[in-house]
Amino acid sequence: MIAESEVLDVLLIEDDEDDYLITRALLSKAESIDCNLDWARSFDEGLESILSSRYDACLVDYRLGARTGLDLLQEVNERGGVETPIILLTGQGDLEVDLNAMAAGAADYLSKERIDAPLLERSIRYAVERKEADQRIREQAQLLDKARDAIIAFDMDGRVVYWNKSAERLTGWTADEMLGARAQERLYDESEADKLEECHETVREAGEWTGELRQQSKEGEDLVVESRWTLVRDSGGQPTSILVINTDITERKRLESQFLRSQRMESIGRLVGGIAHDLGNLLVPILLGVKVLKRRESEDEKVLKTLEMIEKSAERGSNMVEQVLAFARGVEGERVALQAATIIEEVAKITTETFPDNIDVRVDVPDDLHDIVGDATQMQQVLMNLCVNARDAMPDGGVIEISASEADVSEAEAHRKMDAEAGSYVCLRVSDTGSGIPDEAIDKIFEPFFSTKAEGEGTGLGLSTAYSIVKSHNGFVDVESETGEGTTFRVYVPVATSSDERRGPTASGELRDGNGELILVVDDEEFILDTARQTLEDAGYRVITAQGGDKAIDVMERNGDQVEAIITDLRMPEMNGFDLIRRLRPQFPNVPIIAASGMADGRTDDAVQAGAQTFLAKPFTAEKLQATLQDVMYEDEDAASVEG
């Protein structure tokens, strides 16, 4: 609105002095506006004056000597245009001239034959007010363009009428491409149709809607936005458009999903760790008991055959428990500098020789690839597990490509990937041309016992074991898959930066029987105590058992000077194995202690820190039990014989 005290500067471009005097007289009679009128007598003078942008409005006569007011409008536009509203004055009504004037950007056109003071006053006032309104809109639009949120408006037919700069940045669609287009057709997948219909119904009834929507960018990238819809009405209360403000939460949703996945993996790890521990306790007496029975029933072939079958089944169960525990507690092993190319070549050789002829195994490894730090056997197991999965995804044949490259992971990239840390890695890549992994399954593939294969065709432990091995190597795994197109696993393993090596225990030599040494076995499971006692007694040891930590303390107080080694479970009620070791170690500093457990809290480092010599993972065989006992009891003797 024009303020009452405001004086408008008006320019008249007119080559006839009489018409100038008439216009000045008409403006002097204006009731709602007060004007200062400047007069430009020619086309050229008028052009320079209007381009100065000093005026609130400009009146232009159509006839300006050899040229016309339309020519002047076009010249102004060619020079970049002006915000000053231009009103064209014509000698007589000519529809074609009027239409051309409006097309050229005139704010209004008036016929000199019909012009009077109120008409001229109204035309100038409306032109100035429209200019001020347009200016406010432009200023608001500039503010909206600076907003971080994508701001969109579309009419009641769904056609876009406003599209700010943030909407361009988010979606890739420009305002020119979107104005007049239907937002639903460009931005949303068909799967969102029902939710969009709900949005429209809610905003029409309640005036607003807030929620999350999935969009697609111009390039087909999936986006998640927090969307706020508001119904806009005119002064009469009629709905005119819907204003939509979208906040990009794609990254936040990805991080939330990653966090939830990490939490789920930890929960599953704790759950299966507990189950595996109980299974391990059940398998220990079977494995040890079979050994005892085989020694005592060595003449009955049928009994021996049955015992071998039981032993093989128990060992298979034991291997599965070890894989589950590897997922739950991580994987230990040798950590040395390794040539990734050598590992890949060995895996490629095995797969080429054992996979069907319709599987084409290809290798691509650069000559100057950096070494990695890890356990060669475990890294080979990772790649073999991935290759076996790739083979099974291509029953009709296809291509498996095993490749490697160096990769520097930035802080930003590490933030976007589960279990990743910034640093230098070697990326081991296994890709196939198989059936791909369904979208609903890809977040679960590393969970133990989860499998997309038919029942009976897999244990669901291959990928969970690979995941645990890579994680224990301070690396991470990334997977990309498209149904029907194939799958690519990328295994990131840290680059070797020094010659320091952390080696695991060396293999024990040939087993030898005991010579009547007294061994204390501590466990809360009675059947484990019984089978361990029988196994060790058959191997030439004397055995005393204690069901729990408190009873073990009593035994050591009475017989501690005779006990030559202690084997204790770590997970026991009342007094656990860690507390027992800490209690016994100061009083019996020279007695070797073996810590045994199947839980994630039974890691070697924790057990050794508590005071144990070594760690024995459940379930264990009679040979493993005897070998571990031999290692801790005769360590000094064996070392001396080696030196000799």
Side-chain angles (χ1 to χ4, degrees), residues 267-438:
S267 298
I268 291 171
R270 288 192 294 270
L271 174 63
V272 300
I275 295 172
H277 173 268
D278 294 336
L279 287 174
N281 280 343
L282 292 173
L283 289 169
V284 166
I286 297 174
L287 290 166
L288 299 182
V290 165
K291 194 71 174 180
V292 172
L293 291 174
K294 285 175 71 176
R295 284 181 176 178
R296 297 181 181 180
E297 301 290 340
S298 58
E299 296 180 359
D300 192 327
E301 291 185 5
K302 289 185 178 180
V303 172
L304 286 175
K305 189 174 182 180
T306 301
L307 289 174
E308 287 176 0
M309 180 183 67
I310 294 172
E311 187 175 30
K312 287 181 180 178
S313 296
E315 287 176 351
R316 184 180 177 190
S318 176
N319 289 334
M320 292 181 65
V321 169
E322 287 181 5
Q323 291 186 70
V324 171
L325 288 174
F327 172 83
R329 71 183 179 211
V331 181
E332 297 181 355
E334 190 178 44
R335 297 292 184 269
V336 296
L338 302 172
Q339 288 185 333
T342 302
I343 296 173
I344 291 175
E345 287 169 4
E346 291 174 355
V347 171
K349 184 175 184 294
I350 296 171
T351 54
T352 301
E353 293 175 351
T354 60
F355 284 9
D357 293 338
N358 60 1
I359 301 291
D360 182 14
V361 180
R362 302 174 184 174
V363 174
D364 182 16
V365 181
D367 295 332
D368 56 348
L369 192 67
H370 276 103
D371 287 351
I372 60 174
V373 177
D375 182 291
T377 302
Q378 291 174 5
M379 292 311 303
Q380 184 174 327
Q381 182 182 358
V382 169
L383 293 180
M384 277 303 305
N385 285 351
L386 296 179
C387 287
V388 168
N389 273 9
R391 178 203 63 190
D392 294 344
M394 300 184 294
D396 299 324
V399 177
I400 297 176
E401 183 174 354
I402 312 172
S403 61
S405 60
E406 293 173 7
D408 289 324
V409 177
S410 66
E411 291 286 353
E413 290 173 318
H415 188 61
R416 293 194 295 269
K417 297 181 185 294
M418 184 176 176
D419 299 324
E421 293 185 4
S424 297
Y425 295 84
V426 170
C427 176
L428 307 177
R429 178 175 169 268
V430 177
S431 62
D432 63 65
T433 57
S435 56
I437 303 171

